[in-house]
Amino acid sequence: MGLRLLLVDSDRSFLKEHQVSLEAAFDLEVAKSPEGVAARLEQGHFAAVLICVEVADNKGYALCSTLRKHPALSGLKIALISAKATEEEYRRHRSLKGRADLYLNKPIAPSALVAALSPLVPSRTVDPDNPLGDLGDTELGDDWLDVLKGPAVAPAAASAPPPPAPASPAPVVPAMGRLENPETRATAPTDTPRARLLEAQIDALRDELRSKDQRLREAEGELQRRIGSTTLNLDEAAAASREAQALKTRLAEAEAALATRDRELADHKEKSHVLQLNLAGLEVAMQGQERDLTELGARLRQAEAEFEASRIRIQEGEQQIQTLHEQLQERQEEVTRLTVQVGGLHQRLDESTVQHDGERLELMNGLDQKDAELARLAQSLAEQREAQAVLEREKQAAYGQLSEHRDRLRNLDTLLREVQEHLRRGSDLAKG
């Protein structure tokens, strides 16, 4: 199992607020895009990765699934954090094979974020010779470190190696990655993690300064013994005296630097108080945002209801269109049947005409006897023609009804487009 934490997020405000506390608690690295994250995790001995869901246009879920499928990263812990994801969305993601080990929401306090990640990532170890770690170069500057380190280290280099001093108690390193000291635990205010870390680091520097002071006193005693020794000449005694004076001067400088750090600590405490006031203002702003979110939720539910009503109206319109299609099909079948009947009547008319011509040829000699029959046939022909005209009018009426149905279909098509437009607007409103 690795010991490091990789943060995949491009949110500058989130990084500005949490990077210092995460670096203080864990061995942290930051990636601002998903590209190359898998290879970086495979090579870097990482214990966990914290992925923002919204990174690179909402590619956090895809990155989580990719890392879960990676055979070389089976022991990697994955935490997701989002500013937009809901509990329902997280619940659905937990049911997938590519689920994460931890789900968090923005905004989140730096201390809460560190506490949530502590079970997944080992706490950062503190180097006794460099208790500030990488934070010594961030925002605090190097001047005060040089002031404190210079006088404390110089005496050991100027004097002869003193006898080994009793070991000072090692500072306690809790899970949150900050130093605790019994003298400061009772008086430390509940401020930001950076101020608490700074107090712990100053306590560690004080312990180191006390150790150096004890070594300095032992060096002075050794120097006094050397001065009292008869084997030393006057030049050696004078040099030893000058060396002791130099050690005392450096000790005074170290004490002055420590006093300066005490004043800086008081300034940081005052800044912590200001930060607490700002935090209270942020909480009020968050409450206002929660009210805004509640109002937006109500508007979203109203939009969903309107969308559902639009969908029902669309279904009703589709059913009406289906009914009109069926009616149109019936009318088309009726027109076909009437066309067949008209064809049959034309055929009968042709047959009657042929029969009439034959009979007239056959009855040339009996015109007087057949005049009545011819008149009857003529009357029958007129009736048939009248019937044909009636059928033609019925055909024209059927065509008129068909045209009317087509107009109604065009109107319904226009209505359907309007319903689709309303549906699109409702969908845009829901997305907004």
Side-chain angles (χ1 to χ4, degrees):
M1 178 179 178
L3 301 175
R4 309 167 75 186
L5 171 65
L6 179 63
L7 172 59
V8 184
D9 196 347
S10 58
D11 187 352
R12 294 183 179 179
S13 61
F14 180 81
L15 293 175
K16 183 178 180 181
E17 182 180 0
H18 295 83
Q19 186 171 356
V20 173
S21 58
L22 290 176
E23 288 178 346
F26 312 112
D27 190 357
L28 178 71
E29 288 192 15
V30 178
K32 296 186 178 180
S33 66
E35 284 75 13
V37 168
R40 189 171 179 178
L41 290 170
E42 187 176 358
Q43 300 173 2
H45 304 288
F46 288 91
V49 57
L50 175 60
I51 304 172
C52 177
V53 174
E54 290 79 23
V55 68
D57 296 332
N58 299 316
K59 293 183 180 179
Y61 288 133
L63 178 59
C64 178
S65 177
T66 301
L67 297 180
R68 278 289 184 240
K69 296 176 182 178
H70 202 296
L73 303 176
S74 58
L76 181 72
K77 300 296 184 180
I78 301 177
L80 292 178
I81 187 167
S82 172
K84 301 179 181 178
T86 61
E87 291 298 329
E88 178 65 21
E89 184 177 338
Y90 273 164
R91 187 186 63 79
R92 289 196 301 268
H93 193 264
R94 286 190 185 96
S95 62
L96 303 178
K97 292 183 179 180
R99 59 182 176 271
D101 299 287
L102 179 63
Y103 294 85
L104 301 171
N105 292 292
K106 296 179 181 179
I108 183 172
S111 58
L113 179 60
V114 172
L117 294 175
S118 294
L120 306 182
V121 190
S123 299
R124 178 175 185 165
T125 56
V126 178
D127 185 1
D129 295 331
N130 186 20
L132 293 179
D134 296 335
L135 295 179
D137 296 331
T138 58
E139 297 186 7
L140 299 177
D142 296 331
D143 297 337
W144 70 276
L145 286 175
D146 295 337
V147 171
L148 290 180
K149 290 181 180 179
V153 177
S159 62
S168 60
V172 180
V173 182
M176 296 293 290
R178 63 181 182 89
L179 300 175
E180 293 185 357
N181 189 285
E183 297 179 359
T184 60
R185 189 184 297 117
T187 60
T190 56
D191 50 1
T192 61
R194 184 181 300 183
R196 293 197 297 270
L197 178 62
L198 183 60
E199 292 177 5
Q201 293 163 354
I202 291 175
D203 292 335
L205 290 175
R206 285 179 176 173
D207 293 338
E208 184 179 359
L209 190 59
R210 293 192 190 98
S211 176
K212 298 295 183 180
D213 186 26
Q214 183 176 359
R215 293 181 183 179
L216 180 61
R217 292 193 183 94
E218 293 175 354
E220 289 179 353
E222 180 67 20
L223 183 59
Q224 293 296 332
R225 287 192 295 273
R226 288 182 181 181
I227 292 175
S229 175
T230 56
T231 59
L232 294 177
N233 54 31
L234 294 178
D235 294 336
E236 292 177 348
S241 178
R242 288 192 299 271
E243 184 179 356
Q245 187 64 32
L247 290 175
K248 290 180 180 179
T249 303
R250 290 175 180 175
L251 177 60
E253 292 175 354
E255 290 176 349
L258 183 59
T260 302
R261 291 307 308 146
D262 289 338
R263 289 192 297 271
E264 291 179 357
L265 178 60
D267 294 338
H268 281 290
K269 288 182 178 179
E270 183 177 356
K271 292 179 181 179
S272 299
H273 180 66
V274 175
L275 290 175
Q276 288 178 353
L277 296 178
N278 293 336
L279 180 59
L282 289 175
E283 290 178 351
V284 174
M286 287 176 59
Q287 292 175 359
Q289 291 178 358
E290 289 178 356
R291 289 192 296 269
D292 293 340
L293 289 175
T294 303
E295 182 180 354
L296 289 175
R299 293 174 59 186
L300 179 59
R301 287 191 293 272
Q302 182 180 359
E304 290 176 349
E306 294 177 356
F307 174 75
E308 184 66 20
S310 301
R311 187 179 63 81
I312 293 174
R313 288 197 297 269
I314 290 173
Q315 290 179 351
E316 293 176 352
E318 290 177 350
Q319 292 177 356
Q320 292 177 0
I321 292 173
Q322 182 66 25
T323 304
L324 291 175
H325 275 300
E326 294 175 355
Q327 293 177 357
L328 178 60
Q329 188 174 2
E330 292 176 358
R331 295 296 182 184
Q332 289 176 348
E333 292 176 355
E334 184 178 357
V335 170
T336 303
R337 181 175 57 81
L338 292 175
T339 303
V340 172
Q341 289 179 0
V342 170
L345 291 175
H346 279 295
Q347 185 177 1
R348 286 171 60 186
L349 178 60
D350 293 339
E351 291 175 355
S352 298
T353 303
V354 171
Q355 184 179 1
H356 175 69
D357 292 339
E359 288 177 353
R360 189 173 61 173
L361 290 174
E362 291 176 358
L363 298 175
M364 286 292 293
N365 297 325
L367 292 176
D368 295 336
Q369 294 83 3
K370 297 297 183 180
D371 285 338
E373 186 176 358
L374 183 60
R376 182 180 59 81
L377 289 174
Q379 184 179 0
S380 176
L381 179 60
E383 291 175 355
Q384 289 178 358
R385 287 179 177 176
E386 184 178 358
Q388 181 181 1
V390 171
L391 290 175
E392 188 68 20
R393 288 192 297 272
E394 291 179 355
K395 178 180 178 181
Q396 293 297 328
Y399 279 131
Q401 292 178 356
L402 179 60
S403 176
E404 182 180 358
H405 285 304
R406 286 177 179 172
D407 293 337
R408 291 180 63 185
L409 282 176
R410 283 194 292 270
N411 294 334
L412 287 174
D413 185 62
T414 303
L415 178 60
L416 180 59
R417 288 192 181 125
E418 292 177 355
V419 171
Q420 289 177 348
E421 181 64 18
H422 286 298
L423 178 60
R424 183 183 66 78
R425 292 178 180 176
S427 177
D428 293 342
L429 181 59
K431 291 180 180 178

Coordinates of all heavy atoms in Angstrom, one line a residue, residues 77-124:
K77 N -7.5 3.3 -2.9 CA -8.7 3.8 -2.4 C -9.1 5.1 -3.2 O -8.3 5.9 -3.5 CB -8.6 4.2 -0.9 CG -8.2 3.1 0.0 CD -9.3 2.0 0.0 CE -8.9 0.9 1.0 NZ -9.9 -0.1 1.1
I78 N -10.4 5.2 -3.5 CA -10.9 6.2 -4.4 C -12.0 7.0 -3.6 O -12.9 6.4 -3.1 CB -11.5 5.7 -5.7 CG1 -10.4 4.9 -6.5 CG2 -12.1 6.8 -6.6 CD1 -10.9 4.3 -7.8
A79 N -11.9 8.3 -3.6 CA -12.9 9.2 -3.0 C -13.3 10.2 -4.0 O -12.5 10.7 -4.8 CB -12.3 10.0 -1.8
L80 N -14.7 10.4 -4.1 CA -15.3 11.3 -5.0 C -15.8 12.5 -4.2 O -16.3 12.4 -3.2 CB -16.4 10.7 -5.8 CG -16.0 9.6 -6.8 CD1 -17.3 9.0 -7.5 CD2 -15.1 10.1 -7.9
I81 N -15.6 13.7 -4.8 CA -16.2 15.0 -4.2 C -16.8 15.8 -5.3 O -16.3 15.8 -6.5 CB -15.1 15.8 -3.5 CG1 -15.7 16.9 -2.7 CG2 -14.0 16.2 -4.4 CD1 -14.7 17.6 -1.7
S82 N -18.0 16.4 -5.0 CA -18.7 17.1 -6.0 C -19.4 18.3 -5.4 O -19.8 18.2 -4.3 CB -19.7 16.2 -6.7 OG -20.6 16.9 -7.6
A83 N -19.6 19.3 -6.3 CA -20.4 20.5 -5.8 C -21.8 20.4 -6.3 O -22.6 21.3 -5.9 CB -19.7 21.8 -6.4
K84 N -22.1 19.4 -7.2 CA -23.5 19.4 -7.8 C -24.2 18.1 -7.6 O -25.4 18.0 -7.7 CB -23.4 19.6 -9.3 CG -22.8 21.0 -9.6 CD -22.7 21.2 -11.2 CE -22.1 22.5 -11.5 NZ -21.9 22.7 -13.0
A85 N -23.4 17.0 -7.3 CA -24.1 15.7 -7.2 C -25.0 15.6 -6.0 O -24.8 16.1 -4.9 CB -23.0 14.6 -7.0
T86 N -26.1 14.9 -6.2 CA -27.1 14.7 -5.2 C -26.9 13.3 -4.5 O -26.2 12.5 -5.0 CB -28.5 14.8 -5.7 OG1 -28.7 13.7 -6.7 CG2 -28.8 16.1 -6.4
E87 N -27.6 13.1 -3.4 CA -27.5 11.8 -2.7 C -28.1 10.7 -3.6 O -27.6 9.6 -3.6 CB -28.3 11.9 -1.4 CG -27.7 12.8 -0.3 CD -26.3 12.3 0.1 OE1 -26.0 11.1 0.0 OE2 -25.4 13.2 0.4
E88 N -29.1 11.0 -4.4 CA -29.7 10.0 -5.3 C -28.6 9.6 -6.3 O -28.5 8.4 -6.7 CB -30.9 10.5 -5.9 CG -31.6 9.6 -6.9 CD -32.1 8.3 -6.3 OE1 -32.3 8.3 -5.1 OE2 -32.3 7.3 -7.0
E89 N -27.9 10.6 -6.9 CA -26.9 10.3 -7.9 C -25.7 9.5 -7.3 O -25.3 8.5 -7.9 CB -26.3 11.6 -8.4 CG -25.3 11.5 -9.5 CD -24.9 12.8 -10.1 OE1 -25.6 13.8 -9.9 OE2 -23.8 12.9 -10.7
Y90 N -25.3 9.9 -6.0 CA -24.3 9.1 -5.4 C -24.8 7.6 -5.1 O -24.1 6.6 -5.2 CB -23.9 9.7 -4.1 CG -22.8 10.8 -4.2 CD1 -22.6 11.7 -3.2 CD2 -22.0 10.8 -5.4 CE1 -21.5 12.7 -3.4 CE2 -21.0 11.7 -5.5 CZ -20.8 12.7 -4.5 OH -19.8 13.6 -4.7
R91 N -26.1 7.5 -4.7 CA -26.7 6.2 -4.4 C -26.6 5.3 -5.6 O -26.3 4.1 -5.5 CB -28.1 6.3 -3.9 CG -28.7 5.0 -3.4 CD -30.2 5.2 -3.0 NE -31.0 5.6 -4.2 CZ -31.4 4.7 -5.1 NH1 -31.1 3.4 -5.0 NH2 -32.1 5.1 -6.1
R92 N -27.0 5.9 -6.8 CA -26.9 5.1 -8.0 C -25.5 4.7 -8.3 O -25.2 3.5 -8.8 CB -27.5 5.9 -9.2 CG -29.0 6.0 -9.1 CD -29.6 6.5 -10.4 NE -29.0 7.7 -10.9 CZ -29.5 8.9 -10.6 NH1 -30.7 9.0 -9.9 NH2 -29.0 10.0 -11.1
H93 N -24.5 5.6 -8.1 CA -23.1 5.2 -8.4 C -22.6 4.2 -7.4 O -21.8 3.4 -7.8 CB -22.3 6.5 -8.3 CG -20.9 6.3 -8.9 ND1 -19.8 6.0 -8.1 CD2 -20.5 6.4 -10.2 CE1 -18.7 5.9 -8.9 NE2 -19.1 6.1 -10.1
R94 N -23.1 4.1 -6.2 CA -22.6 3.1 -5.3 C -23.1 1.7 -5.7 O -22.4 0.7 -5.3 CB -23.2 3.4 -3.9 CG -22.5 4.5 -3.1 CD -23.0 4.6 -1.7 NE -22.4 5.7 -1.0 CZ -23.1 6.9 -0.8 NH1 -24.4 7.0 -1.3 NH2 -22.6 7.9 -0.2
S95 N -24.1 1.6 -6.5 CA -24.6 0.3 -7.0 C -23.8 -0.2 -8.1 O -24.0 -1.4 -8.6 CB -26.1 0.4 -7.3 OG -26.3 1.3 -8.4
L96 N -22.9 0.6 -8.7 CA -22.1 0.1 -9.9 C -20.8 -0.6 -9.4 O -20.4 -0.5 -8.3 CB -21.7 1.4 -10.7 CG -22.9 2.2 -11.2 CD1 -22.4 3.4 -12.0 CD2 -23.9 1.4 -12.1
K97 N -20.2 -1.3 -10.4 CA -19.0 -2.0 -10.1 C -17.8 -1.0 -9.9 O -16.9 -1.3 -9.2 CB -18.7 -3.0 -11.2 CG -19.6 -4.2 -11.3 CD -19.2 -5.1 -12.4 CE -20.1 -6.3 -12.4 NZ -19.7 -7.3 -13.5
G98 N -17.9 0.1 -10.6 CA -16.8 1.1 -10.5 C -17.1 2.1 -9.4 O -16.7 3.3 -9.6
R99 N -17.7 1.7 -8.3 CA -18.0 2.7 -7.3 C -16.8 3.1 -6.5 O -15.7 2.4 -6.6 CB -19.0 2.0 -6.3 CG -18.5 0.7 -5.6 CD -19.6 0.2 -4.7 NE -19.2 -1.1 -4.2 CZ -19.4 -2.3 -4.8 NH1 -20.0 -2.3 -5.9 NH2 -19.0 -3.4 -4.2
A100 N -16.9 4.2 -5.8 CA -15.8 4.7 -5.0 C -15.9 4.2 -3.6 O -16.9 3.6 -3.1 CB -15.8 6.3 -5.0
D101 N -14.8 4.5 -2.8 CA -14.8 4.1 -1.4 C -15.4 5.2 -0.5 O -15.8 4.9 0.6 CB -13.4 3.8 -0.9 CG -12.7 2.7 -1.7 OD1 -13.1 1.5 -1.5 OD2 -11.9 2.9 -2.6
L102 N -15.4 6.4 -1.0 CA -15.9 7.6 -0.1 C -16.5 8.6 -1.1 O -16.0 8.9 -2.1 CB -14.7 8.2 0.6 CG -15.0 9.4 1.5 CD1 -15.9 9.0 2.7 CD2 -13.7 10.0 2.1
Y103 N -17.6 9.2 -0.6 CA -18.4 10.2 -1.4 C -18.5 11.4 -0.5 O -19.0 11.4 0.6 CB -19.8 9.7 -1.8 CG -19.7 8.5 -2.7 CD1 -19.6 7.2 -2.3 CD2 -19.8 8.7 -4.1 CE1 -19.6 6.1 -3.2 CE2 -19.7 7.7 -5.0 CZ -19.6 6.4 -4.5 OH -19.6 5.4 -5.4
L104 N -18.0 12.6 -1.0 CA -18.1 13.8 -0.3 C -18.7 14.9 -1.1 O -18.9 14.8 -2.4 CB -16.6 14.3 0.0 CG -15.8 13.3 0.9 CD1 -14.4 13.8 1.0 CD2 -16.4 13.2 2.3
N105 N -19.2 16.0 -0.5 CA -19.8 17.1 -1.1 C -19.1 18.4 -0.8 O -18.6 18.6 0.3 CB -21.3 17.2 -0.7 CG -22.1 16.0 -1.2 OD1 -22.4 15.9 -2.4 ND2 -22.6 15.2 -0.3
K106 N -19.1 19.3 -1.8 CA -18.6 20.6 -1.6 C -19.8 21.5 -1.3 O -20.9 21.3 -1.8 CB -17.9 21.1 -2.9 CG -16.6 20.4 -3.3 CD -16.1 21.0 -4.6 CE -14.8 20.3 -5.1 NZ -14.3 20.9 -6.3
P107 N -19.6 22.6 -0.5 CA -18.4 22.9 0.2 C -18.2 22.1 1.4 O -19.1 21.5 2.0 CB -18.7 24.4 0.6 CG -20.1 24.5 0.7 CD -20.7 23.5 -0.3
I108 N -16.9 22.0 1.9 CA -16.6 21.2 3.0 C -15.4 21.9 3.8 O -14.5 22.5 3.1 CB -16.2 19.7 2.6 CG1 -15.9 18.9 3.9 CG2 -15.0 19.7 1.7 CD1 -15.6 17.4 3.5
A109 N -15.4 21.9 5.1 CA -14.4 22.5 5.9 C -13.1 21.7 5.7 O -13.1 20.5 5.5 CB -14.8 22.5 7.3
P110 N -11.9 22.4 5.7 CA -10.6 21.7 5.6 C -10.4 20.6 6.6 O -10.0 19.5 6.3 CB -9.6 22.8 5.7 CG -10.3 24.1 5.3 CD -11.7 23.9 5.7
S111 N -10.8 20.9 7.9 CA -10.6 19.9 8.9 C -11.5 18.7 8.7 O -11.1 17.6 8.9 CB -10.9 20.5 10.3 OG -12.3 21.1 10.3
A112 N -12.8 18.9 8.2 CA -13.7 17.8 7.9 C -13.1 17.0 6.8 O -13.3 15.8 6.7 CB -15.1 18.4 7.6
L113 N -12.6 17.6 5.7 CA -12.0 16.9 4.6 C -10.8 16.0 5.0 O -10.7 14.9 4.6 CB -11.6 17.9 3.5 CG -10.9 17.3 2.3 CD1 -11.9 16.3 1.6 CD2 -10.5 18.4 1.3
V114 N -9.9 16.6 5.9 CA -8.8 15.8 6.4 C -9.3 14.6 7.2 O -8.8 13.5 7.1 CB -7.9 16.7 7.2 CG1 -6.8 15.9 7.9 CG2 -7.2 17.8 6.2
A115 N -10.3 14.9 8.1 CA -10.8 13.8 8.9 C -11.4 12.7 8.1 O -11.3 11.5 8.4 CB -11.8 14.4 9.9
A116 N -12.1 13.1 7.0 CA -12.8 12.1 6.1 C -11.8 11.3 5.4 O -12.0 10.1 5.1 CB -13.7 12.8 5.2
L117 N -10.6 11.9 5.0 CA -9.6 11.1 4.2 C -8.6 10.4 5.1 O -7.9 9.5 4.5 CB -8.8 12.1 3.3 CG -9.7 12.8 2.2 CD1 -8.8 13.8 1.5 CD2 -10.2 11.8 1.2
S118 N -8.6 10.6 6.4 CA -7.6 10.0 7.2 C -7.7 8.5 7.2 O -6.7 7.8 7.3 CB -7.8 10.5 8.7 OG -7.4 11.9 8.7
P119 N -8.9 7.8 7.2 CA -9.0 6.4 7.1 C -8.4 5.8 5.8 O -8.1 4.6 5.8 CB -10.5 6.1 7.3 CG -11.1 7.3 7.9 CD -10.3 8.4 7.4
L120 N -8.3 6.6 4.8 CA -7.9 6.1 3.5 C -6.4 6.3 3.2 O -5.8 5.6 2.5 CB -8.6 6.8 2.3 CG -10.2 6.7 2.4 CD1 -10.8 7.4 1.2 CD2 -10.7 5.3 2.5
V121 N -5.8 7.4 3.9 CA -4.4 7.7 3.6 C -3.6 7.8 4.9 O -4.1 8.4 5.9 CB -4.3 9.1 2.9 CG1 -2.9 9.4 2.4 CG2 -5.3 9.2 1.7
P122 N -2.4 7.2 4.9 CA -1.6 7.3 6.2 C -1.3 8.8 6.4 O -1.0 9.6 5.5 CB -0.4 6.5 5.8 CG -0.8 5.6 4.7 CD -1.8 6.3 3.9
S123 N -1.2 9.1 7.7 CA -0.9 10.5 8.1 C 0.6 10.8 7.7 O 1.5 9.9 7.8 CB -1.1 10.7 9.6 OG -2.5 10.5 9.9
R124 N 0.8 12.1 7.5 CA 2.2 12.5 7.1 C 3.1 12.5 8.3 O 2.7 13.0 9.4 CB 2.1 13.9 6.5 CG 3.5 14.4 6.1 CD 3.3 15.7 5.4 NE 4.6 16.2 4.9 CZ 4.7 17.2 4.0 NH1 3.6 17.8 3.5 NH2 5.9 17.6 3.6

